[in-house]
Amino acid sequence: MGICERRHSRHPLLWVRPNVQGGLSLHLSRPWPASSLDDAGPSHVLSAPELPDGNRKRHRARDVLRGRVGGQVSGTASCGSSRLLCGIDVGGTRTKVGLIDPKDPSAVLAMEVFDTERNSEELFLGNIRKSVQRLTDKVGNPSAAGVSIGSYAFRDGSIDGFSSMIRFMTHGYPLATKLSDALCKPVRIDNDARLICLAEAVAGSGRGFSRVLTITLGTGIGIGICQDSKPLGSEPFFHLAGHLKVREGTEFPWLDETPCYCGISGCAESTCSGTALALHVRHELGKGTDVKRMFEMASQGDLKAKAVVDWYITYLLRALNQYVYAYCPDVIVLGGGVAHGLSPYLNRIRAGITSWVFEGQRTEVRLTSLEEEAGVIGAASLFCSDDWRANA
Ligand SMILES: [Zn+2]
């Protein structure tokens, strides 16, 4: 677990840190500048409307995203500031910032979504700081912030690099320290796949299970595992487990024209990710057909589309059965863009889990129930529990 914590203060703080030369560096941390309150808002502002009695009704952020709940950020916060936590989900394209009450982490009280600044570190940090300030003004002051990032996160709060997406985030970039300075709050960071799992464990389809494994079937395959609502391991050692081998690697040249960076021919990511499925769909059904349309055609009885679904589930089950042996999960939660199309086939997938680790052990399979807000909930939930890092 990548961790960097610092106490929150509205006043300038002087920090003394060891530097890479073996000496000490002095750093003055400043409170938020007043000018940050006057900047233009984000591309999307999401908030739950207030009830007439002044109590803030909490809606799931996905309801707001879908337009079922409207409203701008408004009103005086009724939440005590000490109860709130902030979640920051940094993606290569979009950044989401939201506030939760840890007593009910499934409800995001308010969330902003804006483009991720990928070139200027100053703008990147400033955009997040301003977003947190706007949410603070409207909902309440969070006591700490968790951050989700698509990179390996070291326990000292640095990352392995996000350079392909965010130019200045190279290996060793001290993301937790940078954001802690910008926000004047304790900050913890972790890998995005791990935090999706944490979100499912505390607030989603994994709630009530001890060992939760999440498999995100998106651009790639993200793996996260939690035990008793805590990420397994002090760092994201398993998040690249989507590259286990599920086929020879020479059967489908259209999937393997560009070898996977993992070096394993026929890995799950090069077969079952949304990217791989899209390639297979185009090869089998024509270039004008996408994955969503393929699932629609299959549900309408199209034989070619049904054959693609059969093909996909065959390889997905090869992966899932290996994950049962590797992690002994009580539940596997499938997420990502492909998972939506798998809903009609869930019982078939459950029946295809034939591996078990001990007599009586069975692994349930569910689909994600969190969608857009999973990263924010998982990131904020880094502050809901404190003991897994010490014991890892
Ligand atoms: Zn691979």
Side-chain angles (χ1 to χ4, degrees):
M1 177 65 53
I3 299 295
C4 175
E5 293 188 45
R6 196 162 309 156
R7 66 188 175 87
H8 171 220
S9 173
R10 298 287 296 178
H11 306 289
L13 297 171
L14 184 65
W15 301 103
V16 183
R17 302 194 195 110
N19 59 33
V20 293
Q21 288 81 28
L24 295 175
S25 297
L26 301 181
H27 177 79
L28 184 63
S29 177
R30 298 183 180 280
W32 299 339
S35 60
S36 69
L37 306 180
D38 302 322
D39 291 294
S43 55
H44 307 285
V45 179
L46 309 172
S47 176
E50 284 199 310
L51 294 175
D53 64 1
N55 293 322
R56 181 167 295 275
K57 184 177 182 180
R58 291 171 296 178
H59 296 271
R60 301 178 71 83
R62 68 178 181 193
D63 293 336
V64 184
L65 285 164
R66 287 171 175 167
R68 291 202 292 268
V69 180
Q72 297 289 314
V73 174
S74 63
T76 303
S78 60
C79 300
S81 61
S82 63
R83 291 193 292 113
L84 299 179
L85 293 172
C86 179
I88 302 169
D89 182 7
V90 179
T93 304
R94 296 187 304 162
T95 294
K96 302 169 192 168
V97 179
L99 299 184
I100 69 164
D101 183 337
K103 289 183 178 175
D104 182 9
S106 65
V108 177
L109 303 176
M111 187 163 82
E112 292 190 356
V113 184
F114 50 89
D115 292 342
T116 298
E117 168 57 41
R118 295 192 279 187
N119 295 310
S120 164
E121 179 189 45
E122 185 179 0
L123 286 176
F124 170 84
L125 296 171
N127 289 345
I128 292 175
R129 185 187 66 231
K130 293 166 192 169
S131 177
V132 173
Q133 181 63 72
R134 283 189 295 270
L135 296 177
T136 296
D137 291 344
K138 302 303 180 185
V139 180
N141 188 13
S143 58
V147 180
S148 167
I149 185 85
S151 171
Y152 194 95
F154 297 99
R155 67 187 75 187
D156 67 356
S158 66
I159 62 173
D160 186 36
F162 204 14
S163 55
S164 63
M165 302 294 287
I166 301 178
R167 187 180 57 78
F168 52 87
M169 288 192 188
T170 54
H171 175 78
Y173 182 77
L175 179 61
T177 301
K178 294 280 187 180
L179 280 170
S180 183
D181 287 348
L183 301 176
C184 298
K185 296 181 188 301
V187 168
R188 294 175 178 172
I189 69 170
D190 209 332
N191 168 262
D192 56 357
R194 292 233 299 175
L195 294 183
I196 284 175
C197 186
L198 182 56
E200 294 288 355
V202 302
S205 298
R207 189 149 60 172
F209 293 90
S210 175
R211 292 177 66 85
V212 179
L213 175 72
T214 52
I215 302 176
T216 305
L217 305 164
T219 306
I221 291 184
I223 301 293
I225 183 161
C226 286
Q227 180 161 344
D228 300 331
S229 300
K230 300 164 192 170
L232 195 63
S234 58
E235 291 184 1
F237 303 119
F238 318 113
H239 80 283
L240 292 179
H243 294 277
L244 83 177
K245 193 173 179 71
V246 296
R247 60 185 172 87
E248 193 60 37
T250 55
E251 314 93 315
F252 312 111
W254 51 94
L255 297 182
D256 303 315
E257 279 181 9
T258 304
C260 183
Y261 67 90
C262 71
I264 299 172
S265 178
C267 72
E269 182 163 305
S270 66
T271 312
C272 299
S273 66
T275 304
L277 180 57
L279 285 172
H280 191 63
V281 166
R282 282 199 288 274
H283 182 270
E284 295 295 309
L285 302 177
K287 290 185 177 178
T289 309
D290 61 15
V291 170
K292 183 181 178 192
R293 177 65 188 140
M294 180 277 293
F295 278 120
E296 290 172 353
M297 292 167 64
S299 67
Q300 294 162 0
D302 183 279
L303 294 180
K304 275 192 160 184
K306 289 174 73 173
V308 171
V309 172
D310 292 345
W311 174 91
Y312 184 81
I313 291 176
T314 295
Y315 287 103
L316 180 65
L317 283 170
R318 287 189 187 179
L320 298 189
N321 278 295
Q322 292 182 72
Y323 288 129
V324 170
Y325 285 134
Y327 301 117
C328 191
D330 297 312
V331 63
I332 294 174
V333 180
L334 300 175
V338 177
H340 296 287
L342 293 176
S343 179
Y345 311 99
L346 190 55
N347 284 335
R348 183 170 150 194
I349 293 170
R350 286 171 173 148
I353 302 292
T354 54
S355 52
W356 45 271
V357 177
F358 54 86
E359 188 68 42
Q361 186 270 324
R362 293 293 182 270
T363 298
E364 166 70 323
V365 181
R366 293 189 175 182
L367 301 180
T368 179
S369 59
L370 294 177
E371 303 186 6
E372 287 274 358
E373 70 273 33
V376 165
I377 292 172
S381 297
L382 282 170
F383 282 91
C384 290
S385 179
D386 269 325
D387 57 344
W388 80 87
R389 299 181 313 280
N391 298 330

